Amino acid sequence: MSFLTLEKVTHYYFSKQRVTKALKDISVSIHEGEFIALLGPSGCGKSTILSIMAGIISPTEGKVKLQQKAIHAPSSEIGYMLQQDYLFPWKSILENILLGPKINQTLSKEMKEKGLSLLQEVGLEHVGSAYPDALSGGMRQRAALVRTLINDPKILLFDEPFSALDYQTKLKLEELVSGLLKTYHKTTVLVTHDIGEAIAMSDRIFVMDSNPGTISKVFEVPIELRNEQPLLARRHPKYQLLFDKVWEELDTKETVSSLGGGI
Amino acid sequence: MKQTKDDDRLFQHYLTSVRKEKKRVIIWQVLILISFILIWEVASRLYWVDPLLFSSPTTIYQVIAEKLQDGSLLKHMQITLLETVAGFLIGTIAGIFLAVSLWFSKRLSNILDPYLVILNAMPKVALGPIIIVALGPGYVSIIAMGAIISVIITTLVVYAAFNEVDPNYAKVLKSFGATKRQVFQHAVFPATMPTMISTLKVNVGLSWVGVIVGEFLVSKQGLGYLIIYGFQVFDFSLVMMSLVLIALFAAVMYKLVERIENWLIK
Ligand SMILES: Nc1ncnc2c1ncn2[C@@H]1O[C@H](COP(=O)(O)OP(=O)(O)OP(=O)(O)O)[C@@H](O)[C@H]1O
Ligand SMILES: [Mg+2]
C-alpha cells in the first residue's frame, strides 16, 4: 500500500513579472520504509516537490496524501531538512535540536535526554552547549539531522544535505544517515545532484525533467546494491552499470535544458 | 596543541604591545583635551577672541560652581536628562512596536507605506509649535519632541531588517508547524537584535536634538532653556556651560547604550 502519494501535482509560482511553471502533473507513490532519490537538472523543481510534500507550500493543483490522509499544513510526522543546515546562530546546538519539540510544546526532560542520546549517536556529544559558528560543515549537518530526527517523523525529506561538504565527510555522512534510517526504518526522499549518491543510498531513483518539472524516468536499484552500505555499494559491479544508464538519461536532459535556456 | 614556554613568551609579548599602544592613545587623547582647554583659556585672557562671546574655561567653571551652590543648575540638568531618557525610550519602543505590527500584517504595511515615507521625509522639529499647542507648553511636549524625532526612522529601519531575515529560517520553523508568532520569536526577533541595538545608538543622539529644540521653544527650564536664556541676556558663559554639560551627558548616555549592547550581544 502506498505511504506517501502525490496525485497529479502541478505547481506554479506567481510573481508580478511572470508565472513560473515549476511542476506539472507529478504522480508518485512511495511505500513505507522506502528510500527514494530525486535526481534532475538545476531548477527542475526538486526543492518545490519537497516543500509540497512537507506541507510548507500547497500545490496549485493536485493532492498530497500521507497514509491516505491529505496533507494541508506541516506536521511533526514529516521531517524536512533544507538545502543548507540553517542552524540558528543565536541558539546553542542543544537548543537548536530541541526546536521542534519547543515549537510543538512537547519539550520535556525525556525529550532532552533523547536529544542528547541522538547527539551521541552522530558523534556530537561534546558540542551541545556550543554555538553553530564553532562547528565544521559536517558537524553542523549532523546537528541539523538530529534536529530533523528528534520529532520522530514518519517520513524524512532531505534537500541535498551533503552537497556543501568535502568528499570524505560526505561519504562518512552517507554511511551514518543510511545506517540511522535502516535502524529506525524511515521512509525517505533524498534530493541530490550526485548520481553515485542516489545509487548508493536509495531503492528507487526518480529522474526529473525541467520546464516544467516532470518525472521522466524511474530506475529500480538492484537488490544487491540496496542491501549494501553506501561505501560498499559504490564498489559493486552493478553500481557502474546503473550509473551509466542514469548518466545517459540525465545527459540528454542537460543538453536539452541548456539549449532551452537560451530561447 | 601544546603550549610551550616559547608560545607563552610570544603571547605575553603581544599583550604588552597591545597595552602599550592603548596607553599611548590615551596619553594623546588627554594631551589634546588639555591643550584645547589651555589654548581656549589663553586666547580668552589675551583677547585673541572676545571673552564676552567665547567665555573661558575658568569662567565656565565658576558659573558651574555658583549655579550648583544655589541649586538651580541641578534642577535644569535633572529635567533635561529625564526628558531625554523618556523621549528616547518612548521613541525607540514605539518605533519597534510599530515595526512589529507592520511585520505581522503585510496589508497594514502596504496601507501605511506612503504615510511613513512622508512622515520620515518631514523635518520633525518643524512640528514643534503644533505639538506645544496640542500638548501644552510643558515637559509633555518636550518629551513628545524627543520621541517623535526617532520613532518613524526606527520603524523603517527595524521593519526593513525584519524583512531581510533569511526566509529559510522561517521555513525550518514552519516545517515544525510554527505559528507566525513563533517564527517571529525564534527567528526574526533574534536575527535583528544587532540592528535594533544600533538604532538605539542613533536614537540617543536624535532624542537630544528633539529635547533641546523643545526646550528652546517652550523656554521654561532645562539646559536648552539656559542656552536660549543666556543668548537673550548676552551671557555666553551660560550658553557655553550648557553646551559642555550637554556634550558630557550625551557622551555618557551613548556609552551606557554601548554597554547594554555588549551585554546583550556578548
Ligand atoms: N519562491 C519562488 N518564486 C518564484 N519562482 C520560484 C520560487 N522558488 C522556485 N522558483 C522557480 O521554480 C523552479 C523550480 O525551483 P526549485 O527550487 O524547486 O528547483 P530545484 O530543482 O530545487 O533547483 P536546484 O537544484 O538549483 O536546487 C525554478 O525555475 C525556480 O526559478
Ligand atoms: Mg533546490
Side-chain angles (χ1 to χ4, degrees), chain A residues 51 56 74-75 78 80 82 86-91 99-100 102-105 147-148 151, chain B residues 165-166 168-179 182-183 185-188 190-191:
Chain A
S51 291
I56 287 178
S75 77
I78 300 167
Y80 184 16
L82 269 66
Y86 286 107
L87 294 176
F88 291 47
W90 47 84
K91 288 181 188 284
L99 204 55
K102 180 142 198 190
I103 296 289
N104 302 323
Q105 273 138 11
R147 181 172 69 183
T148 316
N151 275 335
Chain B
V165 175
D166 191 332
N168 286 305
Y169 287 117
K171 208 167 173 184
V172 170
L173 290 167
K174 277 185 203 150
S175 82
F176 295 129
T179 59
Q182 284 173 319
V183 170
Q185 182 193 345
H186 291 285
V188 175

Side-chain angles (χ1 to χ4, degrees), chain B residues 39-246:
Chain B
I39 291 172
W40 187 1
E41 184 69 37
V42 172
S44 168
R45 294 219 175 168
L46 298 181
Y47 288 90
W48 295 347
V49 297
D50 188 344
L52 267 180
L53 294 183
F54 291 96
S55 189
S56 73
T58 43
T59 336
I60 291 176
Y61 177 75
Q62 276 161 9
V63 176
I64 293 183
E66 191 184 301
K67 297 246 169 208
L68 274 178
Q69 223 135 47
D70 67 20
S72 60
L73 184 55
L74 212 62
K75 202 186 70 201
H76 289 299
M77 289 195 308
Q78 265 176 354
I79 283 174
T80 303
L81 268 179
L82 263 168
E83 286 165 348
T84 310
V85 171
F88 164 74
L89 288 178
I90 294 173
T92 309
I93 292 171
I96 291 178
F97 180 79
L98 248 170
V100 173
S101 327
L102 296 183
W103 185 83
F104 271 95
S105 166
K106 185 85 192 128
R107 183 175 297 152
L108 183 67
S109 145
N110 288 337
I111 293 173
L112 291 187
D113 183 59
Y115 300 106
L116 288 173
V117 169
I118 292 172
L119 284 176
N120 185 46
M122 175 102 193
K124 259 70 68 183
V125 290
L127 296 174
I130 297 175
I131 292 177
I132 291 169
V133 169
L135 300 177
Y139 64 94
V140 179
S141 287
I142 298 174
I143 291 175
M145 294 268 298
I148 208 167
I149 202 169
S150 56
V151 66
I152 302 294
I153 189 71
T154 305
T155 306
L156 291 177
V157 170
V158 172
Y159 179 59
F162 285 166
N163 282 330
E164 267 162 36
V165 175
D166 191 332
N168 286 305
Y169 287 117
K171 208 167 173 184
V172 170
L173 290 167
K174 277 185 203 150
S175 82
F176 295 129
T179 59
K180 198 157 186 181
R181 213 186 66 87
Q182 284 173 319
V183 170
F184 185 78
Q185 182 193 345
H186 291 285
V188 175
F189 190 78
T192 46
M193 203 66 180
T195 314
M196 285 190 267
I197 303 272
S198 67
T199 63
L200 289 190
K201 281 181 167 170
V202 176
N203 289 354
V204 169
L206 286 177
S207 305
W208 276 100
V209 174
V211 165
I212 296 298
V213 171
E215 288 182 346
F216 281 0
L217 293 175
V218 172
S219 276
K220 267 192 183 158
Q221 42 196 349
L223 294 173
Y225 158 71
L226 287 185
I227 292 177
I228 283 287
Y229 177 74
F231 177 64
Q232 281 164 352
V233 302
F234 218 74
D235 182 356
F236 276 86
S237 298
L238 200 57
V239 176
M240 286 294 183
M241 177 203 76
S242 309
L243 287 181
V244 169
L245 289 177
I246 290 172

